[in-house]
């Protein structure tokens, strides 16, 4: 009986400035294989479908359980995580491409620095003095904790940016994920201390004003984060902040 194979067409790019090209691979099928497993098989035996030796495909991954977001790529036209993409559930040939919103480093690895820069811009953290034990943090009411937990699932994967028509190489838009993180940290009992700084950052160029309300982000988010609810909430908060500033400063 002929061996069952998995057929992949991978968009490759040798360096950040070189021209992308496609290469086909046919690898042995294994039950319960995911896309990372297929890439590892190519790494083990880097032969194209035509039997020519090639360089192993480069990609990024870490947790292998859809928590770190590192393995995001476009799989059969949809941005998602390669570690949770099961071969059995994908139509073949399986097309793998790097996300187009980010600069390609090599093959399927992209540089997501713009996301981490956006988190720095909006101060998406809670500044506390780490030099001594401050004891347990303030308690949050259960009802708040529940929605805050949903927002905290963001893994900076880049899928919402890839889905958003307002994020591209020419735009400075920080993206839906960063706006949602402002909501998370501004509502935190300790994070509230710096809420005005975060609101100011959201009101700058590339901030919340650049959202075009396409609502693609909320549909694309692999973690089901209510991104559009966060954007609507932060729109209200920035408007309130601007009005207060106008009258009281
Ligand atoms: S490897 Fe972490 S999300 Fe896929």
């Amino acid at each position: 009986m002929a061996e069952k194979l998995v057929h992949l067409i991978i968009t490759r790019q040798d360096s950040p400035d070189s021209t992308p090209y496609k290469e086909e691979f046919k690898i042995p099928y294994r039950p319960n294989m995911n896309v990372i497993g297929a890439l590892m098989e190519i790494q083990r035996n880097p032969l194209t479908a035509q039997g020519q030796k090639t360089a192993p495909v480069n990609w990024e991954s870490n947790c292998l359980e859809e928590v770190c977001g590192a393995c995001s790529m476009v799989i059969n036209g949809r941005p998602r995580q390669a570690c949770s993409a099961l071969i059995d559930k994908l139509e073949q040939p399986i097309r793998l491409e790097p996300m187009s919103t980010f600069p390609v480093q090599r093959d399927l690895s992209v540089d997501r620095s713009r996301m981490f820069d956006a988190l720095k811009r909006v101060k998406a953290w809670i500044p506390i003095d780490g030099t001594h034990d401050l004891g347990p943090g303030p308690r949050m009411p259960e009802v708040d904790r529940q929605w805050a937990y949903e927002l905290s699932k963001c893994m900076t994967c880049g899928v919402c940016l890839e889905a958003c028509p307002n994020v591209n190489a020419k735009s400075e838009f920080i993206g839906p994920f960063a706006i949602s993180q402002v909501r998370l940290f501004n509502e935190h009992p300790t994070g509230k201390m710096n809420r005005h700084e975060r609101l100011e950052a959201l009101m700058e160029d590339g901030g919340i004003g650049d959202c075009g309300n396409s609502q693609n982000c909320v549909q694309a988010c692999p973690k089901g984060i209510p991104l559009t609810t966060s954007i609507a909430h932060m729109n209200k908060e920035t408007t309130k902040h601007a009005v207060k500033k106008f009258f009281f400063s």
Side-chain angles (χ1 to χ4, degrees), residues 7 17 87 128-129 132 152 187 200 212:
H7 185 185
D17 301 318
I87 298 293
I128 48 167
D129 182 353
H132 62 284
S152 75
E187 297 297 321
E200 290 285 333

Side-chain angles (χ1 to χ4, degrees), residues 101-102 112-122 124 151-162 164 167 172-185 202 206 217-218 221-222 225-228 230-231 234:
T101 304
F102 304 93
R112 287 179 294 140
S113 298
R114 72 177 289 162
M115 298 192 80
F116 303 108
D117 291 342
L119 291 177
K120 285 186 214 155
R121 249 180 89 171
V122 299
L151 305 192
S152 75
K153 286 182 188 167
C154 177
M155 51 183 179
T156 329
C157 68
V159 166
C160 65
L161 271 71
E162 182 76 3
C164 175
V167 177
E172 288 208 359
F173 183 35
I174 52 173
F177 82 105
I179 301 172
S180 191
Q181 290 301 291
V182 171
R183 183 181 173 210
L184 173 65
F185 288 104
L202 273 194
C217 54
V218 72
C221 176
I225 298 172
L227 293 166
T228 44
S230 287
I231 294 170
M234 294 320 301

Side-chain angles (χ1 to χ4, degrees), residues 21-238:
Y21 60 97
K22 291 195 192 312
E23 241 172 24
E24 291 195 36
F25 297 89
K26 287 191 175 160
I27 56 157
Y29 169 85
R30 270 186 290 110
N32 304 322
M33 199 178 207
N34 59 9
V35 167
I36 299 283
L39 289 168
M40 286 170 92
E41 180 58 35
I42 294 171
Q43 191 177 50
R44 199 182 64 78
N45 185 23
L47 286 181
T48 65
Q50 293 74 30
Q52 274 159 0
K53 203 156 178 47
T54 187
V57 177
N58 193 280
W59 81 95
E60 217 186 320
S61 62
N62 193 352
C63 69
L64 301 181
E65 54 182 1
E66 211 186 69
V67 171
C68 74
C71 67
S72 308
M73 58 183 74
V74 180
I75 301 173
N76 284 352
R78 192 181 130 213
R80 56 183 298 190
Q81 282 65 56
C83 63
S84 54
L86 296 175
I87 298 293
D88 287 336
K89 301 221 164 131
L90 293 169
E91 197 177 310
Q92 293 198 36
I94 299 166
R95 292 171 196 274
L96 305 183
E97 300 159 75
M99 289 193 288
S100 61
T101 304
F102 304 93
V104 172
Q105 286 176 318
R106 183 170 178 158
D107 296 333
L108 302 168
S109 295
V110 293
D111 178 1
R112 287 179 294 140
S113 298
R114 72 177 289 162
M115 298 192 80
F116 303 108
D117 291 342
L119 291 177
K120 285 186 214 155
R121 249 180 89 171
V122 299
K123 299 190 167 53
W125 59 80
I126 295 171
I128 48 167
D129 182 353
T131 55
H132 62 284
D133 182 7
L134 296 171
R139 291 184 76 86
M140 281 177 91
E142 178 58 17
V143 62
D144 292 346
R145 192 202 59 77
Q146 275 181 11
W147 68 253
Y149 177 65
E150 292 308 313
L151 305 192
S152 75
K153 286 182 188 167
C154 177
M155 51 183 179
T156 329
C157 68
V159 166
C160 65
L161 271 71
E162 182 76 3
C164 175
N166 292 349
V167 177
N168 53 59
K170 292 195 194 109
S171 106
E172 288 208 359
F173 183 35
I174 52 173
F177 82 105
I179 301 172
S180 191
Q181 290 301 291
V182 171
R183 183 181 173 210
L184 173 65
F185 288 104
N186 272 16
E187 297 297 321
H188 185 275
T190 312
K192 265 187 177 60
M193 285 189 310
N194 303 84
R195 68 185 181 283
H196 291 146
E197 287 172 55
R198 296 194 197 94
L199 291 174
E200 290 285 333
L202 273 194
M203 287 156 63
E204 288 172 3
D205 286 349
I208 197 163
D210 284 9
C211 168
N213 200 23
S214 75
Q215 312 207 356
N216 290 5
C217 54
V218 72
Q219 286 172 32
C221 176
K223 291 295 176 190
I225 298 172
L227 293 166
T228 44
T229 312
S230 287
I231 294 170
H233 180 82
M234 294 320 301
N235 248 326
K236 270 194 226 144
E237 292 296 302
T238 46

